[in-house]
Amino acid sequence: MGQNLVIVESPAKAKTISKYLGKNYIVEASMGHVRDLPKSKLGVDIEDNFTPKYITIRGKGELIDKLRKAAKKADKIYLATDPDREGEAISWHLAYILKISEEENCRIVFNEITKSAVKASIKEARKINVNLVDAQQARRILDRLVGYEISPILWKNVKWGLSAGRVQSAALKLICDREEEIKAFIPKEYWTVDCSLKKERKKFPIRLTQHEGKKIEIKNEEEAKKIINDLEQGNFVVKTVKKGKRMKNPLPPFTTSTLQQDASKKLNFITKRTMSIAQALYEGVEVKGYGTVGLITYMRTDSVRISEEAQGKAVNFIKDNYGDEYVPEQLRVYKSKKNIQDAHEAIRPSYIEITPEIAKVSLTPEQYKLYSLIWKRFVASQMSSCELSTNSIDIINGSYKFKASGNTIKFDGFMKIYDYLTEADEEDVVLPELQEGEELKPASIEGKQHFTQPPARYTEASFVKLLEEKGIGRPSTYVPTISTLLSREYIVREKKNLMATELGFIVNNILSEYFKQIVDVDFTAAMEGKLDNIEEGSEYWTNVVEEFFAPLKVAIDKAEKEVSKVVIEDKVSDVPCDKCGKMMVIKHGRYGDFLACPGYPECKNAKPIVEELDVDCPKCGGKVLVKRSKKGKKFFGCSNYPECDFVSWNEPIKEPCSKCGSYMTIKYSKTKGKYAICSNTECGNTMPLEDDTEKKDDK
């Protein structure tokens, strides 16, 4: 039997798959795309029906030679890139480079990296789906036309290095609009009257809801005082006691968006970190007792659908581990939202039997947290509803009506493993046994002043939710969109909130005035719909690009003539130029901020902004500084350089080694997580460190 070649994107994925396929298969990694549009020019022939001019990506020559040699030796080639538009396009480019016929059944796809799924995909090998490729090409060319045609206008009139983007610019407008709403907001005063009643030793709060049968609004202190006086003169009487039951249903399994939102809320992960960890779990992790396994299904999806096989295994697992009563009478079917691709299942564990507890010893702390979240959400989604005993009470005092509600869990159902709170749950309190007609004594009655609050700034989680709701971008684009806005300094992350910068507002104002379609949310969403149509084969990609570009070209011509130059003042530092004495200004470059002389071009002095660690140099006692090499790589050196030559690629810490007294540095591994290791290689002492996810990601 001859040799077969399988090509995937990443080495981690290649390692996992090679263990499943055996010795007759060689698995190689393309390291992502092998061909793309050139960086130095537009690379799209507008006159020739938007024909793309693809070139081999710089630095990929050696890898392509390796793939070509492997392909020549192989009897059969399988292209196993990710199961989405981008993956299909990578396979198409690989097929071109390796001269694989369009008629060849060379494309294999799997939603999960398991032995059965990978082997089944080989039996179901198909031709490359040209519609999927065309949808990706259309998106790539649209993004290139926007970026390369509009960005130079921003460079010329605002600042070099800026960019516009089809999805990016619509997203920026949403953040700028929210900031404008906050600025324009005028707070209004309102009051509440907060009451709590008591029965014997038990106190419980009640909510004032009505006065004379109408919803109550208290505008000022005077109105509040009148209500308090009325209540103090009257009596609190239980009018009705309603006891019943309420069923609380589990949430569906995760999509990309809901995973990012939940990981942000519950684990404090930024979206980029969430997707990076999920990628590692999908591509394969060495799990004790199981070998290298892909622990979760493909993590870029907007579907809540799951396979019958996965559901069957989940139901059996629930029966075996929790009991028959935890399986619902009817199997759960979740409906996805409209206008989704639904190409993949929801995000779920590939092997339900690998519980978070089993996997824990083989995972980093971050991987364990995210896997646990995904596993519990999926298992819970297939379990029985939680049954609550409810208690709803109406209380009257003269013409005023109050409410109180509470519940107790009668049967925990899915909440045995996955709890979540609804708005109704948050208002519930523990109530004593009460009878209709019973009179209760007040424990407290007080008026409180409040002011209406402006709309909240978006967090990454709430912004991803908004992008999904508005139909801007797809699961694969949420993270890159936010990352681009941050790297261009159009927005900043302050604590968890995303805020537009001065630069962000300037760019948004120009784009909103001259390129309305680019920043228009509905237009961007409609374009996503057209990309879906291309994928389905109902629209041709060049027609979609033409429809988009025709009005864009008119807008570009107008903007080139009319956009006036905007001067952004550089922030002045407290560091004088050591060549001419002028106070240096802060500039932003490829590797972050740096100091530059404002006297440029006469004075070309520039220096890095020095970040100082709270660590003494182990050689001379000076301060340890964070520095960057010429290639932008971070390293750590002494402030007394060149007198002191201390340097380390790894960050040193304060605490010396407990065994030999040498300095220790921070390391990170899949198995150990974050830890410190002695710099003395002969010693090798280690100690665990607390993992600070947010901080690490923000660097």
Side-chain angles (χ1 to χ4, degrees), residues 66-103:
K66 183 184 176 184
L67 293 176
R68 279 174 174 154
K69 284 176 184 173
K72 279 182 181 177
K73 293 177 184 175
D75 293 343
K76 178 79 178 174
I77 303 168
Y78 296 102
L79 304 173
T81 50
D82 284 345
D84 54 15
R85 290 174 191 165
E86 209 66 32
E88 202 75 16
I90 293 172
S91 283
W92 183 71
H93 286 298
L94 283 166
Y96 175 86
I97 282 173
L98 301 176
K99 297 184 169 70
I100 300 171
S101 164
E102 290 179 7
E103 299 304 309

Side-chain angles (χ1 to χ4, degrees), residues 94-318:
L94 283 166
Y96 175 86
I97 282 173
L98 301 176
K99 297 184 169 70
I100 300 171
S101 164
E102 290 179 7
E103 299 304 309
E104 185 73 27
N105 290 327
C106 61
R107 180 76 168 113
I108 60 172
V109 291
F110 33 81
N111 189 53
E112 57 187 349
I113 303 177
T114 62
K115 192 172 185 176
S116 58
V118 172
K119 288 201 165 185
S121 72
I122 289 174
K123 292 176 183 175
E124 294 164 12
R126 58 167 173 78
K127 296 172 190 173
I128 289 171
N129 186 328
V130 179
N131 290 340
L132 267 175
V133 175
D134 285 349
Q136 189 274 344
Q137 284 200 114
R139 183 199 63 76
R140 185 76 184 95
I141 290 166
L142 286 169
D143 291 348
R144 174 56 64 99
L145 290 170
V146 172
Y148 274 54
E149 295 288 326
I150 299 177
S151 298
I153 297 171
L154 298 175
W155 302 346
K156 182 184 170 185
N157 295 290
V158 185
K159 188 179 177 184
W160 188 87
L162 302 182
S163 68
R166 186 179 57 84
V167 174
Q168 163 200 321
S169 299
L172 174 62
K173 188 172 188 304
L174 288 170
I175 293 174
C176 289
D177 286 352
R178 175 53 57 93
E179 207 62 38
E180 292 290 1
E181 285 178 58
I182 294 168
K183 285 179 186 173
F185 182 81
I186 300 168
K188 289 183 180 175
E189 181 186 15
Y190 72 98
W191 283 69
T192 58
V193 173
D194 297 343
C195 300
S196 75
L197 304 181
K198 59 184 178 184
K199 181 176 180 180
E200 296 165 353
R201 292 185 176 180
K202 178 69 182 170
K203 295 179 184 178
F204 59 97
I206 56 174
R207 287 179 289 111
L208 177 58
T209 57
Q210 290 182 7
H211 179 234
E212 295 179 346
K214 295 178 182 176
K215 187 180 174 183
I216 193 162
E217 287 183 10
I218 311 168
K219 295 173 185 173
N220 50 51
E221 187 178 12
E222 192 179 336
E223 289 181 14
K225 281 182 173 175
K226 183 185 181 303
I227 293 169
I228 291 169
N229 186 58
D230 291 346
L231 295 173
E232 287 174 344
Q233 300 300 314
N235 296 315
F236 291 91
V237 179
V238 178
K239 187 182 180 185
T240 57
V241 177
K242 291 179 184 173
K243 292 191 177 183
K245 69 174 186 178
R246 177 165 70 86
M247 304 306 285
K248 185 176 177 180
N249 295 320
L251 295 167
F254 282 128
T255 61
T256 302
S257 168
T258 54
L259 176 64
Q260 290 173 356
Q261 291 168 51
D262 234 37
S264 174
K265 291 172 190 169
K266 293 181 177 176
L267 308 178
N268 213 26
F269 288 179
I270 62 172
T271 50
K272 189 176 180 181
R273 192 71 195 138
T274 298
M275 294 311 288
S276 172
I277 299 164
Q279 183 91 32
L281 293 174
Y282 165 69
E283 290 185 344
V285 179
E286 189 79 32
V287 178
K288 192 175 179 182
Y290 291 87
T292 303
V293 291
L295 281 176
I296 64 169
T297 54
Y298 193 53
M299 63 288 159
R300 294 185 185 95
T301 177
D302 46 15
S303 173
V304 292
R305 175 179 58 80
I306 59 165
S307 68
E308 285 184 15
E309 184 187 1
Q311 188 168 44
K313 286 181 178 177
V315 167
N316 290 334
F317 180 89
I318 293 163

Side-chain angles (χ1 to χ4, degrees), residues 375-430:
W375 189 93
K376 287 178 179 178
R377 175 79 164 235
F378 171 67
V379 176
S381 75
Q382 303 306 309
M383 292 176 77
S384 302
S385 302
C386 170
E387 189 177 335
L388 301 166
S389 297
T390 60
N391 200 358
S392 179
I393 298 165
D394 288 345
I395 294 166
I396 56 168
N397 185 325
S399 55
Y400 297 96
K401 185 178 179 182
F402 295 81
K403 276 192 173 294
S405 57
N407 63 60
T408 53
I409 294 174
K410 193 175 177 182
F411 173 65
D412 56 2
F414 75 90
M415 285 182 63
K416 195 170 190 74
I417 61 167
Y418 190 91
D419 196 3
Y420 71 94
L421 289 176
T422 63
E423 284 184 19
D425 295 332
E426 287 173 357
E427 290 182 354
D428 282 344
V429 295
V430 179

Side-chain angles (χ1 to χ4, degrees), residues 199 236-239 395 433-440:
K199 181 176 180 180
F236 291 91
V237 179
V238 178
K239 187 182 180 185
I395 294 166
E433 276 297 322
L434 298 170
Q435 305 297 321
E436 290 181 5
E438 188 174 351
E439 191 174 312
L440 297 164

Side-chain angles (χ1 to χ4, degrees), residues 570-585:
D570 290 313
K571 190 177 177 183
V572 181
S573 76
D574 56 358
V575 180
C577 175
D578 46 20
K579 290 187 179 178
C580 71
K582 291 177 180 174
M583 300 308 287
M584 300 187 86
V585 296

